[in-house]
Amino acid sequence: MGGLGRLLHSTVLLLVALTAVVNGCPPSDRAALLAIKASLHEPYLGIFNTWTGYDCCHNWYGISCDQETNRVADINLRGESEDPIFERAKRTGYMTGTISPAICRLDRLSSVTVADWKGISGEIPSCIAYLPFLRILDLIGNRLTGEIPAEIGRLNRLTVLNVADNLITGEIPRSLTNLSSLTHLDLRNNRISGPIPRDFWRLRMLSRALLSGNRLSGPIPNTIAAIYRLADLDLSMNQLSGPIPDSLGKMAVLSTLNLDGNRFSGTIPLTLINSPVANLNLSRNLIQGTIPDAFGPRSYFTVLDLSYNNLRGPIPKTISSAAYIGHLDLSHNHLCGRIPAGAPFDHLEASSFTFNDCLCGMPLKAC
């Protein structure tokens, strides 16, 4: 190749590179992604092998850009996926390292998913609370430590906050209740302590609040019933105490209420027996009194678990008038008397009634 040919060849390569820069992601976004890559180690799937070249908007695994601005808009890295890269490797993902604060330089991010890698450790970068367009933050299934960023409430567009199955400590940040757009909150299976914020009711758009498997203490705020869209409330396996608020049975769309494995006391609210709640688990608490004799056609339970409490008295006869009861567990209480005949008792096993004081009748021994 002569001098002119080499010059033309070099010019073409330069034009290709310049075209990639102009039409691809900005160099600053690319540099931030490479800093994120440098702080993570993924030894089995080779997903970061695709993070090469000038244009991080095309063919960089898990990266999507805004079509108009070419700014990085989404990071979607899941360690459990049906993507062909996992099929070929015949395994789920495993990644170690930390989430670099360089992620905060990607200030047009709409969603960050770095989920189910099992080995990513370190803290959630506090600067993540300053990403103004962030709608989804999903970091489930890692080994993240430290606290939820104190300024998390600045993310006024955030709809999903999922940090479940990590090693996060500290309390629920006071600012979290400023997340006025939040619909899905999942903090399950961490080491979060302290109270449920008194102003939790300010999360008016919330439909799922999953806080189980932590070290939360204190009462359930009465005002939580003001979250009128709330359909799923899971506070199980904590250290919560006090009475169960009557207001929970007056919520329009609450269908799942899991309060098992806490220290709740007092009696079962009458309101819960004829409410929209279909999955009700109050087991393993310190609940006293009798089972409310208030069942009727509006009582519909796929699960009704009252086991391991201090309930006394008979099984109410009105329970036979419930529209439906699928799984019923009244074991490990102090109930006494005859088990009512007919539905729903005709399909239940003895284990639903064992370890009470003096229950009798089918499926236990005759009275």
Side-chain angles (χ1 to χ4, degrees):
M1 185 182 294
L4 182 60
R6 281 195 296 272
L7 180 62
L8 287 171
H9 183 67
S10 300
T11 303
V12 168
L13 289 177
L14 181 61
L15 285 171
V16 168
L18 287 172
T19 301
V21 170
V22 170
N23 295 330
C25 66
S28 57
D29 280 14
R30 179 177 176 273
L33 288 173
L34 291 177
I36 293 167
K37 172 183 175 179
S39 70
L40 295 168
H41 178 59
E42 190 283 297
Y44 300 112
L45 303 172
I47 63 170
F48 289 131
N49 294 342
T50 66
W51 287 27
T52 58
Y54 288 101
D55 185 8
C56 60
C57 290
H58 293 94
N59 301 319
W60 283 41
Y61 185 90
I63 303 302
S64 302
C65 296
D66 183 279
Q67 290 186 345
E68 292 183 5
T69 64
N70 287 325
R71 297 295 308 278
V72 173
D74 303 294
I75 297 175
N76 185 16
L77 300 175
R78 291 190 179 276
E80 295 180 5
S81 169
E82 294 180 0
D83 189 279
I85 201 168
F86 292 85
E87 298 288 329
R88 288 194 296 271
K90 293 183 168 58
R91 61 167 297 138
T92 59
Y94 181 75
M95 193 185 293
T96 56
T98 60
I99 299 173
S100 170
I103 199 169
C104 303
R105 303 209 300 263
L106 301 169
D107 56 11
R108 301 294 296 190
L109 276 172
S110 174
S111 71
V112 174
T113 299
V114 183
D116 295 316
W117 291 103
K118 308 172 191 68
I120 297 176
S121 56
E123 299 190 4
I124 301 169
S126 58
C127 60
I128 218 159
Y130 291 83
L131 292 173
F133 300 100
L134 197 63
R135 296 177 184 276
I136 295 171
L137 180 60
D138 185 352
L139 305 175
I140 187 175
N142 291 294
R143 294 187 61 79
L144 298 172
T145 54
E147 301 185 9
I148 297 169
E151 298 294 314
I152 195 78
R154 295 177 59 93
L155 299 173
N156 58 7
R157 286 180 168 88
L158 199 70
T159 61
V160 174
L161 175 58
N162 186 352
V163 295
D165 299 329
N166 279 287
L167 302 170
I168 291 169
T169 53
E171 298 190 359
I172 297 173
R174 291 181 64 180
S175 78
L176 187 138
T177 57
N178 292 334
L179 296 173
S180 56
S181 300
L182 198 68
T183 62
H184 180 102
L185 175 64
D186 193 346
L187 309 180
R188 288 174 297 172
N189 302 325
N190 279 287
R191 299 173 180 178
I192 299 168
S193 57
I196 299 171
R198 279 188 186 178
D199 60 347
F200 199 76
W201 61 271
R202 294 177 61 214
L203 300 171
R204 300 301 286 270
M205 302 299 288
L206 203 60
S207 63
R208 302 189 80 198
L210 311 177
L211 311 182
S212 63
N214 281 288
R215 299 170 183 177
L216 298 172
S217 57
I220 300 176
N222 274 311
T223 52
I224 205 167
I227 308 174
Y228 59 90
R229 296 171 185 261
L230 193 63
D232 188 350
L233 178 60
D234 189 352
L235 302 177
S236 61
M237 307 306 293
N238 278 289
Q239 299 165 19
L240 297 164
S241 58
I244 298 169
D246 289 353
S247 55
L248 293 179
K250 299 174 184 177
M251 297 179 69
V253 296
L254 186 66
S255 60
T256 297
L257 179 60
N258 292 331
L259 303 181
D260 49 298
N262 282 284
R263 299 171 183 171
F264 292 116
S265 55
T267 58
I268 298 171
L270 204 67
T271 54
L272 284 176
I273 302 302
N274 285 295
S275 73
V277 176
N279 186 332
L280 179 61
N281 192 339
L282 306 181
S283 68
R284 298 178 187 275
N285 279 288
L286 305 170
I287 298 169
Q288 300 171 325
T290 59
I291 300 171
D293 193 9
F295 290 83
R298 290 178 60 203
S299 306
Y300 186 101
F301 294 100
T302 53
V303 173
L304 178 57
D305 193 342
L306 307 178
S307 63
Y308 290 91
N309 279 291
N310 295 317
L311 296 168
R312 298 182 180 275
I315 298 173
K317 290 180 179 177
T318 57
I319 203 167
S320 298
S321 65
Y324 177 77
I325 297 181
H327 173 78
L328 176 68
D329 194 346
L330 304 178
S331 65
H332 296 270
N333 279 288
H334 299 286
L335 301 172
C336 201
R338 182 185 294 275
I339 297 171
F345 304 100
D346 48 9
H347 73 272
L348 297 173
E349 298 181 3
S351 59
S352 293
F353 306 99
T354 53
F355 297 98
N356 276 287
D357 287 3
C358 47
L359 284 178
C360 60
M362 289 292 292
L364 301 181
K365 67 180 188 301
C367 293

